[in-house]
Amino acid sequence: MKFLSCLMLLSLLTLAGCGKPQPPETERRPDPQATAMRDAMAKPLEEAKAAQAATEQATKAQDAALDAATGDASPQ
């Protein structure tokens, strides 16, 4: 009886250790929260760059108008 119990326990332990291991995940997709945060941070930066470009363009137009009004066409 004792031999049969040991044999059954040994068989169960052997079967429990026979599972095929899963391969590790090579590449994880970014979490949706991280993508939303990146988009939320990028939007104000893009707006600031657009505002800077518009300001630079307005400055050039103003300089050209001043040059035309004073008759000074030489750059500083």
Side-chain angles (χ1 to χ4, degrees), residues 3-66:
F3 176 74
L4 186 58
S5 297
C6 288
L7 184 61
M8 287 176 49
L9 181 61
L10 183 61
S11 327
L12 286 174
L13 288 174
T14 304
L15 288 175
C18 290
K20 183 177 181 181
Q22 296 293 329
E25 192 174 323
T26 57
E27 186 175 329
R28 251 185 57 204
R29 296 187 63 158
D31 295 335
Q33 293 175 345
T35 304
M37 183 179 292
R38 183 182 63 234
D39 293 343
M41 290 172 57
K43 185 177 179 183
L45 291 173
E46 291 171 3
E47 290 173 356
K49 288 178 183 178
Q52 181 180 8
T55 303
E56 289 174 359
Q57 184 179 6
T59 302
K60 288 179 184 179
Q62 184 180 17
D63 288 344
L66 285 173

